[in-house]
Amino acid sequence: MGFFWTVVALVVFLGLSWRFLGAYLVSIYEGRTKWLGFVERPIYKLIGVDPEVEQSWQRYAISVVAYSAVAILFTYLMLRLQGSLPLNPNHLGAVSPALSWNTAVSFVTNTNWQAYAGETTMSYLSQMAVLAVQNFTSASVGIAVAVALIRGFSRKNSTTIGNFWVDLVRGVIYLLLPIALVASVIFMAQGAVQTLGGAVHVHDVLNGFKQIIPRGPVASQEVIKQLGTNGGGFFNANGASPFENPTGLTNFLSIGLLLAIPVALTYTFGKMIGSLRQGVTILAVMAVLFFSWVGIGTVAEHQANPAVAKAGLVHQASGNMVGKEVRFGDTSSALYNVASTQTSTGSVDSASDSYTPMGGFALLTGMMLGEISPGGVGSGLYTMLLFAIITVFIGGLMVGRTPEYLGKKIQAKEVKLAALGILVMPITVLVLTGIAVAIHAGRVGVANGGPHGFSEILYAFTSAANNNGSAFAGLSVNTTFYNVTTGVAMLVGRFAIIIPVLALSGVLAAKGLVPESSGTLRTDKALFAGLLVGVILIVGGLTFFPAVSLGPVVEQLSNGRFF
Amino acid sequence: MTLSQEPRTEPQGSTGDNAGGARGVAQGRGLFDREILLQALNGSFKKLDPRIQVRNPVMFVVLIGTIITFIESISHPSIFSWSVTVWLFLTVMFANFAEAVAEGRGKAQADALRRLRSDTDARIVKDDGTEARIQASQLRQGDCVVCEAGDVIPSDGEIIEGVASVDESAITGESAPVIRESGGDRSAVTGGTKVLSDRIMVRITAEPGHTFLDRMIKLVEGASRQKTPNEIALTILLAALTIVFLPVVVVLEPFGHFAGTSVSVVVLIALLVCLIPTTIGALLSAIGIAGMDRLVQRNVLAMSGRAVEAAGDVQTLLLDKTGTITLGNRMASSFYPVPGHTEAEVADTAQLSSLADETPEGRSIVVLAKERFDLRGREVGDDHAFVPFTAQTRMSGLDIDGHRIRKGASDSVKRWVQEQGGSIPNELDEIVARVSRAGSTPLVVADGPEIIGVIELKDVVKQGIRERFDDMRAMGIRTVMITGDNPLTAAAIAQEAGVDDFLAEATPEAKMDLIKAEQQGGKLVAMTGDGTNDAPALAQADVGVAMNTGTNAAKEAGNMVDLDSNPTKLIDIVQIGKELLITRGALTTFSIANDVAKYFAIVPALFVASYPQLKVLNIMKLHSPQSAVLSAVIFNALVIIALIPLALKGVKFRPQGATSILRRNVLLYGVGGVIVPFVFIKLIDLILTATGAF
């Protein structure tokens, strides 16, 4: 019953954020929110941007790429120079080149794949001024791109899709910073650590052992990692650590925060294109997928662990508690991890590697659908809209019209860009996994052989290419091979989608609007939502069926059943 | 009306073997005529040329795959690998065959038309007035030729002198001759048609090789066929799906290796071919060709596939009132007496006034009087004089036995009566207004200075037209009636016919403005037209259907020509456009949905050796890995053949709202597409197992 009320509370929380945060987002990105103008204006002056001038999609895309390139370079250098920089009470040295590259790419692409353990690798300066900053800006970049795509739909005969710098700055100062500020206070009140004091050294004379307890500015980073669907924890244990995620309330808030913006963006989308029903339809599709996967994950984890059962413990009081925190329990832990893999966050409060095969299946396949239910901040919505375009194209034909979506004709260019944006992820995952299992450097990091080992590799690249960042663990990823290849996967998974999305926005914005008639395929109806779910499942299923069969499916079937 | 004599009704067989019936170009060869099938079989081999194959990315991949399995079969021969190779080859052949069948009927029609073009002589008139005989193919634009009864008109042209009855059955299939005369909108003649009577002078308007007949041949043959925008978009989607399945299949090699199995190249290629959308890839061009062909069957020539596609998207239909919505001629429907007279008196007077009136309206008055009051059309004696209609008097009638009987427009008759000192009954204006409001035309009848009553001439709305407009509305298409009538009359007819809107007192400019306004709002507009002054609007409209009876200018401007000159057909054209798009969508959905079953057939077969537990996924319980793979490949090939008839005939379109059409098609082709292959792959597997080879 406890879990039932958790879900109810979550739905209420998200309903409120859908309505109010969604409306607030509209006013932020339509430029009506101005209460921090005194902060905003000097920033534009500093970076030399005229906020009144809008950009073509090409300029917008160049700005995104240029900003990200500079951010990667900055992050890389800061990590390399960490040893000689201040705020390093634990005297951590420079981060290795391969790991610095991987981490820089990881945080700038909103992935937060961590091939390192935070407490033993990163100084406070690196955590606060480098990684946390990217948590804010990479999230804002994602939302900006989504808003740019929405503008493409809502405008007609327009050559511009907004100004990236304005969208970036407004997202950070009006949206992310205020919410993060308030939420971190709650986290601190619940017991999350927030200090610049170094690690605590405990010497237990009585029992004769020494212990080092790492600390740091944790709460502030914990909140933005969830809110911005980043996922990179301060500690290696991520959300399982009591210093990051101390109580059931913070656990609940973590789940709420990571879903808040992706959910709210569907309201923003509906409002900005002038039809809330369209936004609701998209939300409904996300919700159906989300809750289906939550269902698979929680049911699977609520089962007794078959390996433990084999060992003779037939009567287990709870579900699979291997690798889970007792203060969260099996179902809430599964909810956290499923929510985090469905939103491209990648934070965890329990060890995915210890999940039952079907639980692992839920995490893995949740990402394989393209991180759209509801997906990362911004990225979830824009990827979902790519699927909607493909669905409209096929569905529109079936009603005897050349297809249109939200009044925009879907023609060769739109199909090309949408197909590119959707298919680049599976291709990247499959090709890199194929390489990894084929060569020594790839196979050497696997902790387990057979299907589980295969799942670990597949999971790593799926997580990286979807900018999720969660790890199945069990795979030693801090090697040159994995640092380089997952870095490539993260870059491709981010920018090979963003650029087609922005191009699509430009193409759509330049078009006129086709008025709706009763011959038009209605895209705000349950039938369309069902078709969209079908297309997402079919595309995901067709691309990953063989790979998944060889990983979690085989593993589960070794237990003789699916659940 | 000098030509209203009996048209010669000699058999129309003079134009070769295509004039068997009423359907000239469109004469019905069945979809699967034996001869066409044989030719298509031959064509399937010709299309194996890689230069042709490469245009279709999906089938090109199949061809490459076939070559690889072929090489593999030679180096490691087995029944299995040879079977796969043969069936992959058949997959390519079936695709070629589908296209060849679709082209076949057009080719047969083109051959028939080509025979028409066979060199005729032309009698060219030189500047000095002398005549000379030259070959028709040497005629240039601007030349003048003479044609007499029995001559075939050598090329397209404009009659500059004379009037003739022309047999156009070779092109239109309509055996009744038509009148062509110089001046006005009936002056165009088409090369290949035959003069039946009289003598005309024609100025040639087409350069050799660019005549209407030439264009028609090219069109039905599909020689100038280009991919339409939607077809290009779909091809891109299919190519993208093909590209994504390449890595999906290729990585199974290392995946399998990691799992401890080696996967054979033949099986991987079989899987690839099963996954890429071969069904729609094989049938896509056949669907397009067949769509154009279906129009030709209804005697409509589309100048481009783009126009057919646009027809499916049309949101506004501009329909000429006369001939499309109404029967064309006004018919007398009622007689209204003014006080002091009876209805019978009106009928009697009206009939008298119309005895000499040969117009359809005049005759309908005589007929109505006869029907209502049994007044026979009487023979009048010598003591009378007909008064013909003139533009000045706007009246016609008859002077007989001292009576001066007139009928005509209300104003004219009133003036005429007043000039004679007669008085106008107060009620007259009211009757006239009432008739006008009902959408009819009032004619006032007077006997000398006395007004007798009013004849109501009614525009008769075609039967069943209202239902068709209801269908249109359900499909989301707005119908606009175009008429020269005044707004009052127009509104009444619009109401009766059930159109959504009307444009009254329409001038070519007003029509053009309407089209532009609709297009400004993002709508696609279709219209019909035949006159030269329609040409700009026809060119502006997204779908402009020119009537074959119309002028050359109109035919040049439109992107379709209706050989039957039946403007109602615009509605059929929209329907065909929609069917074309639905067929594409349905088969794409079907093709993709099929993949689910194929996965369940092939993936367990691939890895069951190293992971026996995967046999749980073999939900069809297929006999062996080899029979499973081969069954999927055979199904994949046969489904192409099975769907050729659907691709050629098109998925039937029912005029309904989009949602119900979508629900139906998703169920049929989406859900059906998932289920059907499970059944048939299992069946094929049973047959294969029975052979004992697998």
Side-chain angles (χ1 to χ4, degrees):
Chain A
M1 272 318 270
F3 182 63
F4 172 76
W5 290 113
T6 306
V7 173
V8 170
L10 185 63
V11 169
V12 172
F13 179 89
L14 292 176
L16 292 173
S17 102
W18 180 76
R19 173 63 186 80
F20 297 105
L21 187 57
Y24 181 52
L25 278 160
V26 175
S27 86
I28 292 175
Y29 289 100
E30 284 183 350
R32 291 196 304 272
T33 302
K34 293 190 169 117
W35 59 283
L36 288 172
F38 64 95
V39 185
E40 191 184 352
R41 281 186 299 269
I43 299 178
Y44 296 142
K45 219 163 258 165
L46 190 71
I47 56 177
V49 168
D50 179 353
E52 301 304 319
V53 178
E54 293 217 335
Q55 296 172 313
S56 65
W57 80 261
Q58 290 94 337
R59 287 217 67 86
Y60 201 104
I62 289 170
S63 304
V64 171
V65 172
Y67 166 75
S68 304
V70 170
I72 290 174
L73 189 67
F74 170 77
T75 310
Y76 179 84
L77 290 176
M78 290 293 279
L79 297 184
R80 294 289 294 134
L81 298 173
Q82 168 177 287
S84 3
L85 293 170
L87 277 176
N88 190 1
N90 299 330
H91 310 291
L92 297 165
V95 182
S96 78
L99 183 58
S100 297
W101 138 265
N102 185 278
T103 306
V105 168
S106 167
F107 277 73
V108 172
T109 57
N110 197 252
T111 312
N112 293 25
W113 169 263
Q114 293 169 294
Y116 61 90
E119 56 272 45
T120 55
T121 316
M122 299 296 169
S123 71
Y124 291 170
L125 184 76
S126 300
Q127 295 274 24
M128 283 164 34
V130 183
L131 302 184
V133 167
Q134 291 312 321
N135 280 355
F136 280 96
T137 55
S138 70
S140 191
V141 168
I143 304 172
V145 172
V147 170
L149 179 58
I150 297 174
R151 291 194 189 114
F153 279 111
S154 65
R155 293 181 178 186
K156 54 179 180 178
N157 310 323
S158 163
T159 53
T160 59
I161 57 170
N163 183 320
F164 169 71
W165 304 105
V166 174
D167 291 340
L168 175 69
V169 169
R170 293 181 69 82
V172 171
I173 66 172
Y174 287 110
L175 177 67
L176 300 170
L177 272 173
I179 299 178
L181 195 69
V182 174
S184 357
V185 174
I186 302 176
F187 268 67
M188 281 185 259
Q190 288 288 308
V193 178
Q194 182 76 4
T195 174
L196 288 179
V200 177
H201 294 255
V202 179
H203 188 187
D204 188 337
V205 185
L206 209 62
N207 295 307
F209 62 78
K210 282 183 183 169
Q211 194 179 5
I212 302 168
I213 301 174
R215 301 183 302 173
V218 178
S220 55
Q221 191 164 333
E222 181 66 10
V223 169
I224 187 61
K225 109 181 171 196
Q226 302 293 83
L227 182 65
T229 63
N230 298 286
F234 194 95
F235 301 116
N236 193 33
N238 208 306
S241 155
F243 288 176
E244 282 196 15
N245 183 12
T247 64
L249 178 65
T250 55
N251 197 55
F252 173 81
L253 273 181
S254 297
I255 300 171
L257 283 174
L258 60 84
L259 289 165
I261 295 176
V263 167
L265 271 171
T266 61
Y267 180 94
T268 314
F269 165 67
K271 265 283 172 227
M272 285 179 77
I273 60 155
S275 161
L276 208 49
R277 285 183 61 101
Q278 300 283 358
V280 173
T281 311
I282 295 293
L283 179 66
V285 172
M286 291 173 167
V288 166
L289 292 169
F290 177 77
F291 284 109
S292 307
W293 258 255
V294 167
I296 300 173
T298 49
V299 169
E301 291 313 296
H302 200 57
Q303 310 289 311
N305 186 322
V308 176
K310 254 183 219 162
L313 273 173
V314 184
H315 302 288
Q316 297 170 46
S318 62
N320 174 27
M321 282 302 291
V322 180
K324 294 198 177 63
E325 291 290 303
V326 177
R327 66 183 188 281
F328 304 137
D330 53 15
T331 44
S332 278
S333 295
L335 175 65
Y336 187 112
N337 279 17
V338 170
S340 143
T341 44
Q342 298 273 322
T343 52
S344 97
T345 307
S347 57
V348 289
D349 75 348
S350 46
S352 307
D353 200 26
S354 308
Y355 272 40
T356 61
M358 279 317 279
F361 169 89
L363 305 181
L364 177 62
T365 55
M367 295 188 288
M368 283 171 170
L369 295 185
E371 293 289 18
I372 43 167
S373 48
V377 286
S379 62
L381 181 68
Y382 62 66
T383 313
M384 177 61 98
L385 291 178
L386 299 182
F387 275 103
I389 285 175
I390 295 296
T391 308
V392 158
F393 184 75
I394 297 172
L397 282 181
M398 278 200 288
V399 301
R401 287 269 293 248
T402 63
E404 61 218 43
Y405 184 48
L406 308 176
K408 300 285 189 177
K409 275 239 169 293
I410 302 303
Q411 288 162 316
K413 245 186 196 157
E414 290 80 15
V415 168
K416 195 191 299 175
L417 293 168
L420 181 67
I422 289 173
L423 297 178
V424 73
M425 183 276 288
I427 292 177
T428 310
V429 172
L430 291 171
V431 168
L432 289 175
T433 307
I435 293 171
V437 299
I439 67 173
H440 177 74
R443 304 168 83 135
V444 76
V446 183
N448 308 279
H452 196 74
F454 180 77
S455 296
E456 287 169 358
I457 297 175
L458 181 63
Y459 194 103
F461 288 110
T462 307
S463 173
N466 280 292
N467 298 139
N468 183 284
S470 70
F472 210 40
L475 181 67
S476 312
V477 286
N478 192 9
T479 65
T480 309
F481 174 78
Y482 280 109
N483 276 332
V484 171
T485 49
T486 53
V488 168
M490 290 186 275
L491 279 179
V492 173
R494 180 78 165 175
F495 296 103
I497 298 175
I498 281 186
I499 293 169
V501 164
L502 289 174
L504 186 64
S505 169
V507 173
L508 291 171
K511 290 193 168 189
L513 284 174
V514 184
E516 196 177 288
S517 75
S518 61
T520 313
L521 169 70
R522 290 288 295 269
T523 51
D524 55 357
K525 295 268 194 189
L527 182 63
F528 177 77
L531 199 59
L532 180 50
V533 170
V535 166
I536 291 165
L537 290 179
I538 290 248
V539 169
L542 292 184
T543 43
F544 287 114
F545 185 99
V548 172
S549 301
L550 292 175
V553 171
V554 162
E555 213 185 325
Q556 178 68 37
L557 289 174
S558 310
N559 298 330
R561 57 191 164 78
F562 270 106
F563 279 102
Chain B
M1 288 288 152
T2 47
L3 284 162
S4 56
Q5 75 240 46
E6 281 281 272
R8 271 179 241 176
T9 49
E10 65 201 25
Q12 307 293 326
S14 51
T15 51
D17 63 351
N18 81 323
R23 313 261 83 183
V25 200
Q27 44 88 37
R29 252 174 211 271
L31 262 184
F32 299 103
D33 189 276
R34 225 175 95 84
E35 200 178 316
I36 291 178
L37 289 186
L38 281 175
Q39 273 183 8
L41 213 55
N42 188 23
S44 318
F45 282 96
K46 282 192 194 143
K47 285 176 192 291
L48 279 175
D49 185 334
R51 281 166 304 179
I52 298 176
Q53 289 290 320
V54 82
R55 278 185 235 155
N56 183 341
V58 182
M59 296 319 292
F60 187 67
V61 169
V62 181
L63 185 67
I64 299 284
T66 313
I67 293 168
I68 297 173
T69 57
F70 180 69
I71 295 167
E72 195 68 15
S73 302
I74 291 174
S75 53
H76 306 96
S78 73
I79 298 181
F80 172 71
S81 57
W82 277 111
S83 308
V84 170
T85 307
V86 167
W87 279 101
L88 291 186
F89 179 68
L90 286 176
T91 311
V92 178
M93 290 299 286
F94 291 166
N96 291 348
F97 182 69
E99 196 178 86
V101 171
E103 288 168 349
R105 193 155 54 169
K107 285 227 165 67
Q109 283 158 357
D111 289 345
L113 286 171
R114 231 177 239 123
R115 258 166 267 154
L116 276 181
R117 210 173 45 177
S118 59
D119 257 335
T120 37
D121 277 353
R123 291 159 61 187
I124 188 166
V125 181
K126 295 186 185 148
D127 294 338
D128 56 11
T130 56
E131 265 183 39
R133 281 192 176 270
I134 64 164
Q135 293 216 310
S137 56
Q138 288 168 346
L139 286 173
R140 317 286 311 186
Q141 205 170 342
D143 287 349
C144 285
V145 295
V146 168
C147 297
E148 287 185 340
D151 286 349
V152 171
I153 298 171
S155 181
D156 298 353
E158 200 93 35
I159 301 182
I160 48 175
E161 199 183 303
V163 85
S165 68
V166 179
D167 169 14
E168 295 192 335
S169 62
I171 299 221
T172 65
E174 175 57 52
S175 55
V178 293
I179 307 298
R180 296 294 183 178
E181 58 192 329
S182 62
D185 284 348
R186 295 284 175 272
S187 63
V189 289
T190 312
T193 59
K194 196 172 173 186
V195 178
L196 290 181
S197 70
D198 301 272
R199 178 179 194 273
I200 47 175
M201 176 97 79
V202 175
R203 188 192 297 117
I204 301 302
T205 53
E207 287 291 333
H210 292 91
T211 65
F212 187 67
L213 199 58
D214 290 315
R215 279 198 291 165
M216 237 170 112
I217 291 170
K218 266 192 212 143
L219 280 170
V220 296
E221 207 171 36
S224 56
R225 201 181 101 81
Q226 285 179 328
K227 281 189 176 165
T228 58
N230 174 263
E231 211 175 340
I232 292 170
L234 186 53
T235 307
I236 287 172
L237 181 67
L238 298 180
L241 283 171
T242 307
I243 289 167
V244 78
F245 283 125
L246 272 172
V248 166
V249 169
V250 169
V251 296
L252 287 182
E253 211 283 323
F255 286 7
H257 199 70
F258 187 81
T261 351
S262 70
V263 185
S264 89
V265 176
V266 174
V267 175
L268 283 183
I269 286 176
L271 177 62
L272 177 65
V273 170
C274 285
L275 291 180
I276 61 176
T278 47
T279 314
I280 178 67
L283 296 173
L284 187 57
S285 71
I287 294 170
I289 297 166
M292 300 274 281
D293 187 54
R294 278 205 299 285
L295 277 179
V296 174
Q297 297 302 308
R298 297 201 202 178
N299 257 354
V300 176
L301 291 181
M303 299 302 160
S304 72
R306 195 183 279 258
V308 186
E309 221 165 66
D313 279 352
V314 162
Q315 280 164 307
T316 307
L317 279 188
L318 304 191
L319 299 162
D320 281 326
K321 183 198 78 177
T322 310
T324 312
I325 296 169
T326 64
L327 283 173
N329 301 315
R330 280 178 269 229
M331 312 280 268
S333 64
S334 307
F335 300 113
Y336 299 104
V338 292
H341 295 277
T342 63
E343 203 181 337
E345 282 177 61
V346 183
D348 185 47
T349 322
Q351 192 185 45
L352 269 177
S353 73
S354 306
L355 283 179
D357 189 346
E358 284 291 323
T359 63
E361 286 90 351
R363 274 191 225 125
S364 79
I365 294 171
V366 175
V367 170
L368 184 72
K370 190 172 106 189
E371 280 173 359
R372 286 278 174 83
F373 300 99
D374 203 24
L375 296 167
R376 303 238 142 241
R378 50 224 119 151
E379 287 300 316
V380 285
D382 290 336
D383 187 17
H384 70 271
F386 288 122
V387 180
F389 178 87
T390 69
Q392 282 79 40
T393 62
R394 297 174 66 214
M395 292 185 299
S396 66
L398 174 80
D399 293 342
I400 186 168
D401 304 337
H403 288 281
R404 306 205 312 153
I405 293 170
R406 296 288 184 276
K407 70 164 195 285
S410 163
D411 297 347
S412 319
V413 176
K414 269 155 71 178
R415 201 177 316 118
W416 183 70
V417 167
Q418 279 165 339
E419 277 167 12
Q420 300 175 71
S423 65
I424 311 295
N426 293 333
E427 290 78 4
L428 180 67
D429 280 347
E430 196 202 314
I431 299 172
V432 165
R434 197 173 64 228
V435 169
S436 297
R437 261 200 310 279
S440 305
T441 310
L443 287 184
V444 177
V445 192
D447 185 349
E450 187 153 16
I451 287 183
I452 312 289
V454 177
I455 312 168
E456 178 178 4
L457 289 180
K458 202 173 167 164
D459 241 334
V460 183
V461 171
K462 281 187 178 173
Q463 239 178 355
I465 200 83
R466 201 186 171 91
E467 287 70 30
R468 303 216 62 174
F469 290 145
D470 288 343
D471 287 351
M472 292 285 121
R473 202 164 303 115
M475 287 154 58
I477 295 171
R478 205 166 79 91
T479 45
V480 182
M481 181 181 85
I482 307 290
T483 173
D485 294 342
N486 63 62
L488 213 63
T489 312
I493 296 172
Q495 168 86 29
E496 189 182 343
V499 292
D500 295 318
D501 202 354
F502 63 86
L503 179 68
E505 288 166 353
T507 57
E509 293 76 36
K511 218 164 158 176
M512 188 70 169
D513 290 343
L514 176 65
I515 294 175
K516 282 186 177 158
E518 293 283 317
Q519 288 175 334
Q520 204 73 51
K523 291 181 172 165
L524 266 65
V525 182
M527 68 168 284
T528 61
D530 55 1
T532 299
N533 56 16
D534 282 333
L538 278 171
Q540 178 72 29
D542 301 283
V543 177
V545 184
M547 300 293 109
N548 191 46
T549 52
T551 59
N552 282 330
K555 284 199 257 181
E556 290 283 339
N559 48 16
M560 292 192 194
V561 176
D562 179 14
L563 300 174
D564 293 343
S565 306
N566 169 11
T568 317
K569 222 184 269 169
L570 195 49
I571 299 171
D572 296 341
I573 293 172
V574 170
Q575 197 140 332
I576 291 175
K578 286 194 178 294
E579 283 176 357
L580 174 74
L581 294 172
I582 293 179
T583 310
R584 274 186 205 147
L587 290 184
T588 305
T589 309
F590 187 80
S591 193
I592 297 169
N594 272 196
D595 281 3
V596 176
K598 294 171 191 163
Y599 258 140
F600 278 97
I602 295 181
V603 168
L606 270 175
F607 299 112
V608 80
S610 50
Y611 296 130
Q613 59 268 47
L614 276 181
K615 68 176 182 294
V616 177
L617 292 182
N618 181 7
I619 54 178
M620 285 172 275
K621 303 269 174 276
L622 303 179
H623 177 70
S624 69
Q626 289 193 338
S627 74
V629 172
L630 193 54
S631 301
V633 171
I634 293 176
F635 171 79
N636 193 52
L638 290 181
V639 77
I640 296 174
I641 287 286
L643 289 174
I644 291 178
L646 182 70
L648 297 191
K649 285 184 191 147
V651 172
K652 196 92 201 85
F653 175 78
R654 291 145 203 258
Q656 289 170 320
T659 308
S660 48
I661 298 176
L662 182 64
R663 184 174 305 121
R664 190 187 133 81
N665 287 331
V666 166
L667 275 179
L668 217 55
Y669 299 98
V671 179
V674 173
I675 297 168
V676 165
F678 277 103
V679 177
F680 282 94
I681 290 177
K682 176 68 186 168
L683 273 179
I684 296 169
D685 182 70
L686 287 176
I687 296 169
L688 287 179
T689 313
T691 64
F694 307 96

